Amino acid sequence: MSDASHFLPFTKPTVDEETIVSVVEVLRSGWLASGPKVQALEAQLSEYFGGRPVRTFNSGTCTMEIALRVAGIGAGDEVITTPNSWVATANVIIETGATPVFVDIDAKTHNIDLDKVEAAITPRTKAIIPVHMCGLPCDMDKLYAIADKHNLRVVEDAAQAIGSTWKGKRIGAFGDFVSFSFQVNKNIMTGEGGCLVLNNPEEARLAEKYRLQGVTRSGLDGIDVDVLGGKYNMTDIAAAIGLGQMKHLAEFNTKRAELARHYFSSFGTDFEQKTGAELPVADFENSNWHMFHLVLPESVNRATFMQQMLDQQIGLGYHYRAIHLFSMYRARGFTDGMFPIAERVGKQIVTLPLFPAMSIEDVERVVSAVKSCLL
Ligand SMILES: *Cc1c(COP(=O)(O)O)cnc(C)c1O
């Protein structure tokens, strides 16, 4: 069904009737806070990630902050990350009192350039937060070899990578801390939410404390607070959405890959050479195709291009502007030119529409609109 008059957003969640009914049931049940639905979702996620402990939270931001706290990271420590991500990835480092250290990205994968990480390690480096951008995993062998060699904790920002794999193994089913987001744009969502995969029950118990004011309970009226926690728990309303989404995860990701394949075939093999634009890495083995990016040639003004696409009823996103160039980061000493690849990508990248409810005709409509602007 191709209707060139209807507006095509860059993403849109798919929610089935069964999920809507289950949310209404939660509302009628009277148990709206963290309860049986949260427990059921955590159990399902744990199974999905090979039996590792999983805890849910109210965002994919606090999951990372809590992972850093569980790892004991704070003032005086340095944490290496990428400037090409949503600002949450670096903000959580500052929230713990630690210092973010950026390493530029690889021009093709847009993930942190692991060949440049070792040069950024100092005696204060305690952890690394890599991002699996668009669901394309970092080189996990290289990443964990560096972490092992330098005794660093890893908090994988897998916000975009649910269902992605590395050498046949699911992202989250191995490694150190792995953090996922269920924000509305992600491959599965809970309205707002996230989950953290941890290594053992002790870490999971500590994460539970950080999730809820540092509280431990014993017996009917026993309570103690021995660490500083926050208010980060997921509601049963959100968990009911998550349980409904989990049923469709495999099918959503298959559909995304199918649409991505169609993007490549519609653009054609000479598109990059003809336009100077860059298509993403065509990884149909590991990626969950969270987003489909196009890096515009330097000669094209992104805002103008976005407006031209909008005039054709196509909404684009841009993910992401380089983090270190935001005012708060500039105030911490970061400047233009420090991470040139992330800066170029951050200025020229656009996100094309890609979501499970899209049709092949929608893809063709986007591609012909892009070509009309660039050729
Ligand atoms: C979505 C996202 C986050 C933040 O997740 P929230 O659930 O919105 O807090 C962090 N990092 C990346 C790479 C993301 O895509």
mmCIF file with all atom_site columns, all heavy atoms in Angstrom, residues 58-62 64 85-86 88-89 131 133 157 159-160 180-183 186 192-194 290-291 320, ligand 1:
data_model
loop_
_atom_site.group_PDB
_atom_site.id
_atom_site.type_symbol
_atom_site.label_atom_id
_atom_site.label_alt_id
_atom_site.label_comp_id
_atom_site.label_asym_id
_atom_site.label_entity_id
_atom_site.label_seq_id
_atom_site.pdbx_PDB_ins_code
_atom_site.Cartn_x
_atom_site.Cartn_y
_atom_site.Cartn_z
_atom_site.occupancy
_atom_site.B_iso_or_equiv
_atom_site.pdbx_formal_charge
_atom_site.auth_seq_id
_atom_site.auth_comp_id
_atom_site.auth_asym_id
_atom_site.auth_atom_id
_atom_site.pdbx_PDB_model_num
ATOM   1   N N   . ASN A 1 58  ? 13.456 1.837  34.700 1.00 0.00 ? 58  ASN A N   1
ATOM   2   C CA  . ASN A 1 58  ? 12.544 2.715  33.969 1.00 0.00 ? 58  ASN A CA  1
ATOM   3   C C   . ASN A 1 58  ? 13.200 3.475  32.821 1.00 0.00 ? 58  ASN A C   1
ATOM   4   O O   . ASN A 1 58  ? 12.562 4.307  32.176 1.00 0.00 ? 58  ASN A O   1
ATOM   5   C CB  . ASN A 1 58  ? 11.784 3.656  34.923 1.00 0.00 ? 58  ASN A CB  1
ATOM   6   C CG  . ASN A 1 58  ? 12.722 4.486  35.779 1.00 0.00 ? 58  ASN A CG  1
ATOM   7   O OD1 . ASN A 1 58  ? 13.862 4.718  35.412 1.00 0.00 ? 58  ASN A OD1 1
ATOM   8   N ND2 . ASN A 1 58  ? 12.235 4.934  36.920 1.00 0.00 ? 58  ASN A ND2 1
ATOM   9   N N   . SER A 1 59  ? 14.466 3.186  32.522 1.00 0.00 ? 59  SER A N   1
ATOM   10  C CA  . SER A 1 59  ? 15.091 3.716  31.306 1.00 0.00 ? 59  SER A CA  1
ATOM   11  C C   . SER A 1 59  ? 16.351 2.928  30.981 1.00 0.00 ? 59  SER A C   1
ATOM   12  O O   . SER A 1 59  ? 16.876 2.198  31.828 1.00 0.00 ? 59  SER A O   1
ATOM   13  C CB  . SER A 1 59  ? 15.438 5.203  31.454 1.00 0.00 ? 59  SER A CB  1
ATOM   14  O OG  . SER A 1 59  ? 16.638 5.360  32.196 1.00 0.00 ? 59  SER A OG  1
ATOM   15  N N   . GLY A 1 60  ? 16.804 3.106  29.761 1.00 0.00 ? 60  GLY A N   1
ATOM   16  C CA  . GLY A 1 60  ? 18.066 2.513  29.347 1.00 0.00 ? 60  GLY A CA  1
ATOM   17  C C   . GLY A 1 60  ? 19.237 3.432  29.672 1.00 0.00 ? 60  GLY A C   1
ATOM   18  O O   . GLY A 1 60  ? 20.371 3.147  29.321 1.00 0.00 ? 60  GLY A O   1
ATOM   19  N N   . THR A 1 61  ? 18.933 4.541  30.315 1.00 0.00 ? 61  THR A N   1
ATOM   20  C CA  . THR A 1 61  ? 19.984 5.437  30.794 1.00 0.00 ? 61  THR A CA  1
ATOM   21  C C   . THR A 1 61  ? 20.403 5.012  32.191 1.00 0.00 ? 61  THR A C   1
ATOM   22  O O   . THR A 1 61  ? 21.591 4.782  32.455 1.00 0.00 ? 61  THR A O   1
ATOM   23  C CB  . THR A 1 61  ? 19.476 6.899  30.816 1.00 0.00 ? 61  THR A CB  1
ATOM   24  O OG1 . THR A 1 61  ? 19.097 7.278  29.494 1.00 0.00 ? 61  THR A OG1 1
ATOM   25  C CG2 . THR A 1 61  ? 20.555 7.840  31.324 1.00 0.00 ? 61  THR A CG2 1
ATOM   26  N N   . CYS A 1 62  ? 19.405 4.856  33.089 1.00 0.00 ? 62  CYS A N   1
ATOM   27  C CA  . CYS A 1 62  ? 19.765 4.499  34.466 1.00 0.00 ? 62  CYS A CA  1
ATOM   28  C C   . CYS A 1 62  ? 20.357 3.088  34.540 1.00 0.00 ? 62  CYS A C   1
ATOM   29  O O   . CYS A 1 62  ? 21.152 2.805  35.426 1.00 0.00 ? 62  CYS A O   1
ATOM   30  C CB  . CYS A 1 62  ? 18.594 4.683  35.415 1.00 0.00 ? 62  CYS A CB  1
ATOM   31  S SG  . CYS A 1 62  ? 17.235 3.560  35.158 1.00 0.00 ? 62  CYS A SG  1
ATOM   32  N N   . MET A 1 64  ? 22.642 1.946  32.661 1.00 0.00 ? 64  MET A N   1
ATOM   33  C CA  . MET A 1 64  ? 24.102 2.101  32.513 1.00 0.00 ? 64  MET A CA  1
ATOM   34  C C   . MET A 1 64  ? 24.717 2.753  33.741 1.00 0.00 ? 64  MET A C   1
ATOM   35  O O   . MET A 1 64  ? 25.792 2.369  34.188 1.00 0.00 ? 64  MET A O   1
ATOM   36  C CB  . MET A 1 64  ? 24.412 2.933  31.267 1.00 0.00 ? 64  MET A CB  1
ATOM   37  C CG  . MET A 1 64  ? 24.071 2.222  29.979 1.00 0.00 ? 64  MET A CG  1
ATOM   38  S SD  . MET A 1 64  ? 24.692 3.091  28.538 1.00 0.00 ? 64  MET A SD  1
ATOM   39  C CE  . MET A 1 64  ? 23.490 4.391  28.359 1.00 0.00 ? 64  MET A CE  1
ATOM   40  N N   . SER A 1 85  ? 26.939 8.861  19.938 1.00 0.00 ? 85  SER A N   1
ATOM   41  C CA  . SER A 1 85  ? 25.849 8.141  20.604 1.00 0.00 ? 85  SER A CA  1
ATOM   42  C C   . SER A 1 85  ? 24.861 9.168  21.092 1.00 0.00 ? 85  SER A C   1
ATOM   43  O O   . SER A 1 85  ? 25.101 10.383 20.994 1.00 0.00 ? 85  SER A O   1
ATOM   44  C CB  . SER A 1 85  ? 26.382 7.335  21.790 1.00 0.00 ? 85  SER A CB  1
ATOM   45  O OG  . SER A 1 85  ? 25.342 6.570  22.390 1.00 0.00 ? 85  SER A OG  1
ATOM   46  N N   . TRP A 1 86  ? 23.755 8.683  21.627 1.00 0.00 ? 86  TRP A N   1
ATOM   47  C CA  . TRP A 1 86  ? 22.859 9.567  22.346 1.00 0.00 ? 86  TRP A CA  1
ATOM   48  C C   . TRP A 1 86  ? 23.624 10.031 23.584 1.00 0.00 ? 86  TRP A C   1
ATOM   49  O O   . TRP A 1 86  ? 24.395 9.266  24.167 1.00 0.00 ? 86  TRP A O   1
ATOM   50  C CB  . TRP A 1 86  ? 21.559 8.837  22.693 1.00 0.00 ? 86  TRP A CB  1
ATOM   51  C CG  . TRP A 1 86  ? 20.588 9.639  23.505 1.00 0.00 ? 86  TRP A CG  1
ATOM   52  C CD1 . TRP A 1 86  ? 19.928 9.219  24.622 1.00 0.00 ? 86  TRP A CD1 1
ATOM   53  C CD2 . TRP A 1 86  ? 20.153 10.980 23.248 1.00 0.00 ? 86  TRP A CD2 1
ATOM   54  N NE1 . TRP A 1 86  ? 19.113 10.228 25.077 1.00 0.00 ? 86  TRP A NE1 1
ATOM   55  C CE2 . TRP A 1 86  ? 19.237 11.329 24.257 1.00 0.00 ? 86  TRP A CE2 1
ATOM   56  C CE3 . TRP A 1 86  ? 20.460 11.937 22.277 1.00 0.00 ? 86  TRP A CE3 1
ATOM   57  C CZ2 . TRP A 1 86  ? 18.617 12.573 24.332 1.00 0.00 ? 86  TRP A CZ2 1
ATOM   58  C CZ3 . TRP A 1 86  ? 19.846 13.188 22.355 1.00 0.00 ? 86  TRP A CZ3 1
ATOM   59  C CH2 . TRP A 1 86  ? 18.925 13.488 23.365 1.00 0.00 ? 86  TRP A CH2 1
ATOM   60  N N   . ALA A 1 88  ? 23.104 10.335 26.522 1.00 0.00 ? 88  ALA A N   1
ATOM   61  C CA  . ALA A 1 88  ? 22.943 9.514  27.730 1.00 0.00 ? 88  ALA A CA  1
ATOM   62  C C   . ALA A 1 88  ? 24.201 8.703  28.027 1.00 0.00 ? 88  ALA A C   1
ATOM   63  O O   . ALA A 1 88  ? 24.604 8.558  29.188 1.00 0.00 ? 88  ALA A O   1
ATOM   64  C CB  . ALA A 1 88  ? 21.756 8.563  27.563 1.00 0.00 ? 88  ALA A CB  1
ATOM   65  N N   . THR A 1 89  ? 24.824 8.178  26.978 1.00 0.00 ? 89  THR A N   1
ATOM   66  C CA  . THR A 1 89  ? 25.974 7.281  27.125 1.00 0.00 ? 89  THR A CA  1
ATOM   67  C C   . THR A 1 89  ? 27.120 7.946  27.894 1.00 0.00 ? 89  THR A C   1
ATOM   68  O O   . THR A 1 89  ? 27.797 7.298  28.698 1.00 0.00 ? 89  THR A O   1
ATOM   69  C CB  . THR A 1 89  ? 26.465 6.836  25.733 1.00 0.00 ? 89  THR A CB  1
ATOM   70  O OG1 . THR A 1 89  ? 25.339 6.405  24.971 1.00 0.00 ? 89  THR A OG1 1
ATOM   71  C CG2 . THR A 1 89  ? 27.469 5.707  25.824 1.00 0.00 ? 89  THR A CG2 1
ATOM   72  N N   . VAL A 1 131 ? 29.211 1.350  22.197 1.00 0.00 ? 131 VAL A N   1
ATOM   73  C CA  . VAL A 1 131 ? 27.816 1.359  21.735 1.00 0.00 ? 131 VAL A CA  1
ATOM   74  C C   . VAL A 1 131 ? 27.721 0.489  20.482 1.00 0.00 ? 131 VAL A C   1
ATOM   75  O O   . VAL A 1 131 ? 28.564 0.611  19.596 1.00 0.00 ? 131 VAL A O   1
ATOM   76  C CB  . VAL A 1 131 ? 27.361 2.802  21.394 1.00 0.00 ? 131 VAL A CB  1
ATOM   77  C CG1 . VAL A 1 131 ? 25.934 2.807  20.836 1.00 0.00 ? 131 VAL A CG1 1
ATOM   78  C CG2 . VAL A 1 131 ? 27.458 3.703  22.613 1.00 0.00 ? 131 VAL A CG2 1
ATOM   79  N N   . MET A 1 133 ? 26.116 0.587  17.567 1.00 0.00 ? 133 MET A N   1
ATOM   80  C CA  . MET A 1 133 ? 25.321 1.585  16.852 1.00 0.00 ? 133 MET A CA  1
ATOM   81  C C   . MET A 1 133 ? 24.406 0.955  15.811 1.00 0.00 ? 133 MET A C   1
ATOM   82  O O   . MET A 1 133 ? 24.851 0.174  14.982 1.00 0.00 ? 133 MET A O   1
ATOM   83  C CB  . MET A 1 133 ? 26.278 2.603  16.214 1.00 0.00 ? 133 MET A CB  1
ATOM   84  C CG  . MET A 1 133 ? 25.618 3.767  15.523 1.00 0.00 ? 133 MET A CG  1
ATOM   85  S SD  . MET A 1 133 ? 24.393 4.661  16.525 1.00 0.00 ? 133 MET A SD  1
ATOM   86  C CE  . MET A 1 133 ? 25.390 5.312  17.847 1.00 0.00 ? 133 MET A CE  1
ATOM   87  N N   . ASP A 1 157 ? 26.646 -0.542 25.853 1.00 0.00 ? 157 ASP A N   1
ATOM   88  C CA  . ASP A 1 157 ? 25.419 0.201  25.583 1.00 0.00 ? 157 ASP A CA  1
ATOM   89  C C   . ASP A 1 157 ? 24.762 -0.487 24.386 1.00 0.00 ? 157 ASP A C   1
ATOM   90  O O   . ASP A 1 157 ? 25.013 -0.150 23.230 1.00 0.00 ? 157 ASP A O   1
ATOM   91  C CB  . ASP A 1 157 ? 25.702 1.678  25.299 1.00 0.00 ? 157 ASP A CB  1
ATOM   92  C CG  . ASP A 1 157 ? 24.410 2.470  25.078 1.00 0.00 ? 157 ASP A CG  1
ATOM   93  O OD1 . ASP A 1 157 ? 23.348 1.839  24.925 1.00 0.00 ? 157 ASP A OD1 1
ATOM   94  O OD2 . ASP A 1 157 ? 24.474 3.715  25.040 1.00 0.00 ? 157 ASP A OD2 1
ATOM   95  N N   . ALA A 1 159 ? 21.607 -0.473 23.885 1.00 0.00 ? 159 ALA A N   1
ATOM   96  C CA  . ALA A 1 159 ? 20.259 0.129  23.832 1.00 0.00 ? 159 ALA A CA  1
ATOM   97  C C   . ALA A 1 159 ? 19.556 -0.215 22.523 1.00 0.00 ? 159 ALA A C   1
ATOM   98  O O   . ALA A 1 159 ? 18.350 -0.432 22.491 1.00 0.00 ? 159 ALA A O   1
ATOM   99  C CB  . ALA A 1 159 ? 20.356 1.644  23.992 1.00 0.00 ? 159 ALA A CB  1
ATOM   100 N N   . GLN A 1 160 ? 20.338 -0.261 21.440 1.00 0.00 ? 160 GLN A N   1
ATOM   101 C CA  . GLN A 1 160 ? 19.753 -0.454 20.108 1.00 0.00 ? 160 GLN A CA  1
ATOM   102 C C   . GLN A 1 160 ? 19.899 -1.885 19.605 1.00 0.00 ? 160 GLN A C   1
ATOM   103 O O   . GLN A 1 160 ? 19.528 -2.174 18.471 1.00 0.00 ? 160 GLN A O   1
ATOM   104 C CB  . GLN A 1 160 ? 20.448 0.503  19.121 1.00 0.00 ? 160 GLN A CB  1
ATOM   105 C CG  . GLN A 1 160 ? 20.411 1.955  19.579 1.00 0.00 ? 160 GLN A CG  1
ATOM   106 C CD  . GLN A 1 160 ? 21.078 2.904  18.606 1.00 0.00 ? 160 GLN A CD  1
ATOM   107 O OE1 . GLN A 1 160 ? 21.624 2.485  17.584 1.00 0.00 ? 160 GLN A OE1 1
ATOM   108 N NE2 . GLN A 1 160 ? 21.032 4.189  18.914 1.00 0.00 ? 160 GLN A NE2 1
ATOM   109 N N   . PHE A 1 180 ? 20.206 -2.585 27.842 1.00 0.00 ? 180 PHE A N   1
ATOM   110 C CA  . PHE A 1 180 ? 19.253 -2.421 26.737 1.00 0.00 ? 180 PHE A CA  1
ATOM   111 C C   . PHE A 1 180 ? 18.229 -1.341 27.090 1.00 0.00 ? 180 PHE A C   1
ATOM   112 O O   . PHE A 1 180 ? 17.915 -1.147 28.262 1.00 0.00 ? 180 PHE A O   1
ATOM   113 C CB  . PHE A 1 180 ? 18.509 -3.742 26.476 1.00 0.00 ? 180 PHE A CB  1
ATOM   114 C CG  . PHE A 1 180 ? 19.403 -4.841 25.977 1.00 0.00 ? 180 PHE A CG  1
ATOM   115 C CD1 . PHE A 1 180 ? 20.062 -5.679 26.882 1.00 0.00 ? 180 PHE A CD1 1
ATOM   116 C CD2 . PHE A 1 180 ? 19.610 -5.037 24.622 1.00 0.00 ? 180 PHE A CD2 1
ATOM   117 C CE1 . PHE A 1 180 ? 20.907 -6.691 26.438 1.00 0.00 ? 180 PHE A CE1 1
ATOM   118 C CE2 . PHE A 1 180 ? 20.454 -6.044 24.167 1.00 0.00 ? 180 PHE A CE2 1
ATOM   119 C CZ  . PHE A 1 180 ? 21.103 -6.868 25.077 1.00 0.00 ? 180 PHE A CZ  1
ATOM   120 N N   . SER A 1 181 ? 17.727 -0.674 26.056 1.00 0.00 ? 181 SER A N   1
ATOM   121 C CA  . SER A 1 181 ? 16.679 0.330  26.259 1.00 0.00 ? 181 SER A CA  1
ATOM   122 C C   . SER A 1 181 ? 15.385 -0.152 25.622 1.00 0.00 ? 181 SER A C   1
ATOM   123 O O   . SER A 1 181 ? 15.396 -0.762 24.554 1.00 0.00 ? 181 SER A O   1
ATOM   124 C CB  . SER A 1 181 ? 17.092 1.656  25.622 1.00 0.00 ? 181 SER A CB  1
ATOM   125 O OG  . SER A 1 181 ? 15.978 2.524  25.528 1.00 0.00 ? 181 SER A OG  1
ATOM   126 N N   . PHE A 1 182 ? 14.268 0.166  26.296 1.00 0.00 ? 182 PHE A N   1
ATOM   127 C CA  . PHE A 1 182 ? 12.945 -0.122 25.725 1.00 0.00 ? 182 PHE A CA  1
ATOM   128 C C   . PHE A 1 182 ? 12.185 1.180  25.485 1.00 0.00 ? 182 PHE A C   1
ATOM   129 O O   . PHE A 1 182 ? 10.961 1.236  25.581 1.00 0.00 ? 182 PHE A O   1
ATOM   130 C CB  . PHE A 1 182 ? 12.141 -1.046 26.663 1.00 0.00 ? 182 PHE A CB  1
ATOM   131 C CG  . PHE A 1 182 ? 12.826 -2.354 26.969 1.00 0.00 ? 182 PHE A CG  1
ATOM   132 C CD1 . PHE A 1 182 ? 12.854 -2.852 28.270 1.00 0.00 ? 182 PHE A CD1 1
ATOM   133 C CD2 . PHE A 1 182 ? 13.439 -3.093 25.971 1.00 0.00 ? 182 PHE A CD2 1
ATOM   134 C CE1 . PHE A 1 182 ? 13.474 -4.064 28.575 1.00 0.00 ? 182 PHE A CE1 1
ATOM   135 C CE2 . PHE A 1 182 ? 14.067 -4.311 26.259 1.00 0.00 ? 182 PHE A CE2 1
ATOM   136 C CZ  . PHE A 1 182 ? 14.081 -4.790 27.563 1.00 0.00 ? 182 PHE A CZ  1
ATOM   137 N N   . GLN A 1 183 ? 12.943 2.238  25.205 1.00 0.00 ? 183 GLN A N   1
ATOM   138 C CA  . GLN A 1 183 ? 12.346 3.522  24.839 1.00 0.00 ? 183 GLN A CA  1
ATOM   139 C C   . GLN A 1 183 ? 11.552 3.319  23.544 1.00 0.00 ? 183 GLN A C   1
ATOM   140 O O   . GLN A 1 183 ? 11.833 2.375  22.788 1.00 0.00 ? 183 GLN A O   1
ATOM   141 C CB  . GLN A 1 183 ? 13.502 4.540  24.695 1.00 0.00 ? 183 GLN A CB  1
ATOM   142 C CG  . GLN A 1 183 ? 13.108 5.948  24.343 1.00 0.00 ? 183 GLN A CG  1
ATOM   143 C CD  . GLN A 1 183 ? 13.199 6.217  22.865 1.00 0.00 ? 183 GLN A CD  1
ATOM   144 O OE1 . GLN A 1 183 ? 13.765 5.425  22.121 1.00 0.00 ? 183 GLN A OE1 1
ATOM   145 N NE2 . GLN A 1 183 ? 12.633 7.321  22.434 1.00 0.00 ? 183 GLN A NE2 1
ATOM   146 N N   . LYS A 1 186 ? 12.952 2.006  20.103 1.00 0.00 ? 186 LYS A N   1
ATOM   147 C CA  . LYS A 1 186 ? 13.806 0.831  20.019 1.00 0.00 ? 186 LYS A CA  1
ATOM   148 C C   . LYS A 1 186 ? 13.054 -0.371 19.408 1.00 0.00 ? 186 LYS A C   1
ATOM   149 O O   . LYS A 1 186 ? 11.840 -0.331 19.253 1.00 0.00 ? 186 LYS A O   1
ATOM   150 C CB  . LYS A 1 186 ? 14.346 0.487  21.420 1.00 0.00 ? 186 LYS A CB  1
ATOM   151 C CG  . LYS A 1 186 ? 15.096 1.648  22.083 1.00 0.00 ? 186 LYS A CG  1
ATOM   152 C CD  . LYS A 1 186 ? 16.221 2.198  21.229 1.00 0.00 ? 186 LYS A CD  1
ATOM   153 C CE  . LYS A 1 186 ? 17.245 3.023  21.970 1.00 0.00 ? 186 LYS A CE  1
ATOM   154 N NZ  . LYS A 1 186 ? 16.931 4.427  22.286 1.00 0.00 ? 186 LYS A NZ  1
ATOM   155 N N   . GLU A 1 192 ? 8.640  3.736  28.233 1.00 0.00 ? 192 GLU A N   1
ATOM   156 C CA  . GLU A 1 192 ? 10.004 4.009  28.672 1.00 0.00 ? 192 GLU A CA  1
ATOM   157 C C   . GLU A 1 192 ? 10.456 2.778  29.442 1.00 0.00 ? 192 GLU A C   1
ATOM   158 O O   . GLU A 1 192 ? 9.635  2.132  30.087 1.00 0.00 ? 192 GLU A O   1
ATOM   159 C CB  . GLU A 1 192 ? 10.092 5.236  29.579 1.00 0.00 ? 192 GLU A CB  1
ATOM   160 C CG  . GLU A 1 192 ? 9.669  6.558  28.952 1.00 0.00 ? 192 GLU A CG  1
ATOM   161 C CD  . GLU A 1 192 ? 10.691 7.122  27.968 1.00 0.00 ? 192 GLU A CD  1
ATOM   162 O OE1 . GLU A 1 192 ? 11.755 6.495  27.743 1.00 0.00 ? 192 GLU A OE1 1
ATOM   163 O OE2 . GLU A 1 192 ? 10.398 8.201  27.411 1.00 0.00 ? 192 GLU A OE2 1
ATOM   164 N N   . GLY A 1 193 ? 11.746 2.478  29.398 1.00 0.00 ? 193 GLY A N   1
ATOM   165 C CA  . GLY A 1 193 ? 12.228 1.346  30.167 1.00 0.00 ? 193 GLY A CA  1
ATOM   166 C C   . GLY A 1 193 ? 13.556 0.835  29.661 1.00 0.00 ? 193 GLY A C   1
ATOM   167 O O   . GLY A 1 193 ? 14.080 1.314  28.657 1.00 0.00 ? 193 GLY A O   1
ATOM   168 N N   . GLY A 1 194 ? 14.083 -0.144 30.370 1.00 0.00 ? 194 GLY A N   1
ATOM   169 C CA  . GLY A 1 194 ? 15.348 -0.740 29.961 1.00 0.00 ? 194 GLY A CA  1
ATOM   170 C C   . GLY A 1 194 ? 15.636 -1.945 30.821 1.00 0.00 ? 194 GLY A C   1
ATOM   171 O O   . GLY A 1 194 ? 14.910 -2.223 31.786 1.00 0.00 ? 194 GLY A O   1
ATOM   172 N N   . HIS A 1 290 ? 18.372 -1.777 13.725 1.00 0.00 ? 290 HIS A N   1
ATOM   173 C CA  . HIS A 1 290 ? 17.617 -0.794 14.506 1.00 0.00 ? 290 HIS A CA  1
ATOM   174 C C   . HIS A 1 290 ? 17.377 0.485  13.706 1.00 0.00 ? 290 HIS A C   1
ATOM   175 O O   . HIS A 1 290 ? 16.316 1.094  13.808 1.00 0.00 ? 290 HIS A O   1
ATOM   176 C CB  . HIS A 1 290 ? 18.342 -0.492 15.813 1.00 0.00 ? 290 HIS A CB  1
ATOM   177 C CG  . HIS A 1 290 ? 17.728 0.638  16.559 1.00 0.00 ? 290 HIS A CG  1
ATOM   178 N ND1 . HIS A 1 290 ? 16.412 0.604  16.982 1.00 0.00 ? 290 HIS A ND1 1
ATOM   179 C CD2 . HIS A 1 290 ? 18.201 1.863  16.912 1.00 0.00 ? 290 HIS A CD2 1
ATOM   180 C CE1 . HIS A 1 290 ? 16.120 1.752  17.582 1.00 0.00 ? 290 HIS A CE1 1
ATOM   181 N NE2 . HIS A 1 290 ? 17.182 2.515  17.539 1.00 0.00 ? 290 HIS A NE2 1
ATOM   182 N N   . MET A 1 291 ? 18.390 0.896  12.928 1.00 0.00 ? 291 MET A N   1
ATOM   183 C CA  . MET A 1 291 ? 18.212 2.099  12.104 1.00 0.00 ? 291 MET A CA  1
ATOM   184 C C   . MET A 1 291 ? 18.945 1.912  10.783 1.00 0.00 ? 291 MET A C   1
ATOM   185 O O   . MET A 1 291 ? 19.873 1.110  10.689 1.00 0.00 ? 291 MET A O   1
ATOM   186 C CB  . MET A 1 291 ? 18.787 3.342  12.808 1.00 0.00 ? 291 MET A CB  1
ATOM   187 C CG  . MET A 1 291 ? 17.985 3.778  14.014 1.00 0.00 ? 291 MET A CG  1
ATOM   188 S SD  . MET A 1 291 ? 18.454 5.419  14.635 1.00 0.00 ? 291 MET A SD  1
ATOM   189 C CE  . MET A 1 291 ? 19.901 5.063  15.618 1.00 0.00 ? 291 MET A CE  1
ATOM   190 N N   . TYR A 1 320 ? 23.768 10.495 15.465 1.00 0.00 ? 320 TYR A N   1
ATOM   191 C CA  . TYR A 1 320 ? 23.616 11.511 16.500 1.00 0.00 ? 320 TYR A CA  1
ATOM   192 C C   . TYR A 1 320 ? 24.580 12.647 16.231 1.00 0.00 ? 320 TYR A C   1
ATOM   193 O O   . TYR A 1 320 ? 25.579 12.440 15.552 1.00 0.00 ? 320 TYR A O   1
ATOM   194 C CB  . TYR A 1 320 ? 23.957 10.917 17.885 1.00 0.00 ? 320 TYR A CB  1
ATOM   195 C CG  . TYR A 1 320 ? 22.950 9.854  18.297 1.00 0.00 ? 320 TYR A CG  1
ATOM   196 C CD1 . TYR A 1 320 ? 23.197 8.513  18.051 1.00 0.00 ? 320 TYR A CD1 1
ATOM   197 C CD2 . TYR A 1 320 ? 21.766 10.217 18.919 1.00 0.00 ? 320 TYR A CD2 1
ATOM   198 C CE1 . TYR A 1 320 ? 22.267 7.540  18.422 1.00 0.00 ? 320 TYR A CE1 1
ATOM   199 C CE2 . TYR A 1 320 ? 20.845 9.242  19.301 1.00 0.00 ? 320 TYR A CE2 1
ATOM   200 C CZ  . TYR A 1 320 ? 21.099 7.919  19.039 1.00 0.00 ? 320 TYR A CZ  1
ATOM   201 O OH  . TYR A 1 320 ? 20.201 6.962  19.389 1.00 0.00 ? 320 TYR A OH  1
HETATM 202 C C1  . LIG B 2 .   ? 17.988 4.997  23.478 1.00 0.00 ? 1   LIG B C1  1
HETATM 203 C C2  . LIG B 2 .   ? 19.420 5.035  23.794 1.00 0.00 ? 1   LIG B C2  1
HETATM 204 C C3  . LIG B 2 .   ? 19.882 5.309  25.097 1.00 0.00 ? 1   LIG B C3  1
HETATM 205 C C4  . LIG B 2 .   ? 18.982 5.757  26.215 1.00 0.00 ? 1   LIG B C4  1
HETATM 206 O O1  . LIG B 2 .   ? 17.946 4.917  26.495 1.00 0.00 ? 1   LIG B O1  1
HETATM 207 P P1  . LIG B 2 .   ? 16.664 5.505  27.267 1.00 0.00 ? 1   LIG B P1  1
HETATM 208 O O2  . LIG B 2 .   ? 15.821 4.306  27.506 1.00 0.00 ? 1   LIG B O2  1
HETATM 209 O O3  . LIG B 2 .   ? 16.035 6.522  26.383 1.00 0.00 ? 1   LIG B O3  1
HETATM 210 O O4  . LIG B 2 .   ? 17.158 6.089  28.546 1.00 0.00 ? 1   LIG B O4  1
HETATM 211 C C5  . LIG B 2 .   ? 21.236 5.243  25.349 1.00 0.00 ? 1   LIG B C5  1
HETATM 212 N N1  . LIG B 2 .   ? 22.118 4.927  24.376 1.00 0.00 ? 1   LIG B N1  1
HETATM 213 C C6  . LIG B 2 .   ? 21.715 4.675  23.125 1.00 0.00 ? 1   LIG B C6  1
HETATM 214 C C7  . LIG B 2 .   ? 22.734 4.306  22.110 1.00 0.00 ? 1   LIG B C7  1
HETATM 215 C C8  . LIG B 2 .   ? 20.361 4.735  22.783 1.00 0.00 ? 1   LIG B C8  1
HETATM 216 O O5  . LIG B 2 .   ? 19.981 4.498  21.525 1.00 0.00 ? 1   LIG B O5  1
#
